[in-house]
Amino acid sequence: MCEDCGCGDTRLVSVDVHERLLAGNDRTAAHNRGHFFSRGVTALNLMGSPGAGKTAILEATARHLGGSRRLAAVAGDLETERDAERLRKAGIPAVAITTGSACHLDAEMVHRAVHDGASLEADYLFIENVGNLVCPAIYDLGQQANVVALSVTEGEDKPLKYPVMFRNADLVLLTKVDLLPALDGYDVAAVQDALARVMPRPRVIAVSARSGEGVAEWVAWLEGLRVPGELRPAPLAIGVREVSHG
Amino acid sequence: MHEYSLVQALLDRVESEARSRHASAVHRVTVRIGPLAGVERELFSKAFEIVRPGTLCDRAELVVTGDDLRWTCEVCGAAIPTGRVLVCPDCGWPARLASGDALVLERIELEVPDHV
């Protein structure tokens, strides 16, 4: 007993936890994954910088599919419902998640969106994350695959600057390739080389939402996700060569 | 700046542990953050300073330990140096991240009254 105030002495108790800080998010993500799986929904987490062309790619995807697949979307933004409105105009049922100050979506936000009316009567649910190359990368949402949109106007070295985002990507969509003629000196091989240094199974599809280039290849990749046993892209190790950065 | 939400998750976890053990205060919290965790260690520590007043962690020391970044071959186990193309030079197989993405609450040290 403490002699000054009688409060009682304390002893130190050490508790070994060894638990991921995101364990709570992981549990909700697993719950979401169960929702998606049981309804036969292929969920994708679409990430990328603001303005990388995430919404435009989804619009082009809807145009390409022309109703042959059922699409749905959840669109995260700090403010406004603009992306969700654009997607609805493109024929994709979409629910907006306005995050306020949060720079990323987490599994709980997606869970709420699903209960707030995001359509699970879909073959593909696109979760369009908040435009940001940092924070969204570490939050599992329950998706089957991570797709990162990287526009050619962002330069060739983004993968080296944001390795966490690209390490977790299953596919990188190199967007706005219709602008390449205007970008003197832009080297697609340099982007591929940068990706190969941060992404163990680099898979890149060059697309243009405007011209439609690459959209068929992207849709074929999406179809591959629905083939049992092919949830992961096959290793593309052989033939990847190092390119020196001059 | 997702460090604040991570620190909030940390405090929630630590406080629930502290309450379940009838602790009067938290003495020390140890977390491990790897270079590919996607978390800035300094920002994380700053966020902890800002969020903890009035919580059981008010006087707690936050210890942030690091983690080595190591890529190895999935097949032969050879180390693949960071910054190189992530393919084993011997097998041609993709590299696997052996360590470096940890974001882990390792240990909580609690001050528990003697009579509890």
Side-chain angles (χ1 to χ4, degrees), chain A residues 9-22 135 138-139 167 196-201 237 242, chain B residues 2 5-6 13 37 71 74 83-86 92 94-95 97 101 103 105-110 112 114 116:
Chain A
D9 290 336
T10 60
R11 63 199 150 88
L12 278 186
V13 173
S14 180
V15 183
D16 285 329
V17 183
H18 305 303
E19 183 183 280
R20 266 170 56 77
L21 273 188
L22 289 167
C135 313
I138 68 169
Y139 290 87
R167 176 177 85 84
R197 292 166 194 274
V198 295
M199 194 176 164
R201 289 175 164 84
E242 296 203 28
Chain B
H2 50 304
S5 51
L6 289 170
R13 180 70 181 81
W71 291 93
E74 278 185 25
R84 297 284 299 277
V85 168
L86 295 173
L97 189 69
D101 63 345
L103 181 54
L105 169 58
E106 292 286 14
R107 192 172 305 108
I108 309 170
E109 286 156 81
L110 301 167
V112 179
D114 256 342
V116 173

Side-chain angles (χ1 to χ4, degrees), chain A residues 72-105:
Chain A
V74 170
D77 244 322
L78 299 184
E79 301 285 346
T80 83
E81 286 212 12
R82 285 177 185 221
D83 286 351
E85 284 165 12
R86 274 176 63 186
L87 293 170
R88 286 193 287 264
K89 267 188 199 157
I92 306 176
V95 168
I97 301 178
T98 309
T99 60
S101 60
C103 48
H104 59 271
L105 294 180

Side-chain angles (χ1 to χ4, degrees), chain A residues 13-15, chain B residues 16-24 110-113 116:
Chain A
V13 173
S14 180
V15 183
Chain B
S16 86
E17 192 72 41
R19 273 194 298 274
S20 75
R21 292 168 186 269
H22 308 287
S24 53
L110 301 167
E111 294 173 18
V112 179
V116 173

Side-chain angles (χ1 to χ4, degrees), chain A residues 16-221:
Chain A
D16 285 329
V17 183
H18 305 303
E19 183 183 280
R20 266 170 56 77
L21 273 188
L22 289 167
N25 184 78
D26 293 345
R27 277 189 291 274
T28 309
H31 175 84
N32 291 348
R33 194 165 277 119
H35 268 304
F36 302 145
F37 185 78
S38 66
R39 309 288 286 271
V41 178
T42 299
L44 294 106
N45 184 4
L46 178 57
M47 297 173 279
S49 306
K54 298 183 289 298
T55 311
I57 284 296
L58 296 184
E59 290 168 326
T61 307
R63 278 198 301 275
H64 182 89
L65 285 167
S68 62
R69 284 291 197 185
R70 298 168 305 160
L71 309 180
V74 170
D77 244 322
L78 299 184
E79 301 285 346
T80 83
E81 286 212 12
R82 285 177 185 221
D83 286 351
E85 284 165 12
R86 274 176 63 186
L87 293 170
R88 286 193 287 264
K89 267 188 199 157
I92 306 176
V95 168
I97 301 178
T98 309
T99 60
S101 60
C103 48
H104 59 271
L105 294 180
D106 63 28
E108 182 55 37
M109 295 180 204
V110 172
H111 184 241
R112 259 182 278 142
V114 166
H115 284 282
D116 286 351
S119 174
L120 290 186
E121 300 298 320
D123 300 308
Y124 295 99
L125 173 68
F126 296 102
I127 305 166
E128 184 181 333
N129 219 308
V130 179
N132 184 330
L133 273 185
V134 182
C135 313
I138 68 169
Y139 290 87
D140 185 7
L141 306 178
Q143 72 278 5
Q144 183 174 325
N146 284 322
V147 178
V148 180
L150 173 66
S151 61
V152 292
T153 50
E154 291 170 74
E156 299 138 343
D157 58 355
K158 283 290 176 293
L160 299 175
K161 290 180 175 171
Y162 299 91
V164 177
M165 172 61 72
F166 291 94
R167 176 177 85 84
N168 290 317
D170 296 292
L171 173 71
V172 172
L173 287 174
L174 190 64
T175 61
K176 308 188 188 182
V177 290
D178 54 296
L179 297 178
L180 281 175
L183 298 170
D184 194 25
Y186 185 91
D187 185 2
V188 173
V191 183
Q192 285 172 325
D193 176 71
L195 282 168
R197 292 166 194 274
V198 295
M199 194 176 164
R201 289 175 164 84
R203 179 85 173 87
V204 185
I205 298 176
V207 293
S208 163
R210 186 182 285 172
S211 73
E213 179 183 345
V215 175
E217 194 184 341
W218 148 242
V219 168
W221 184 87

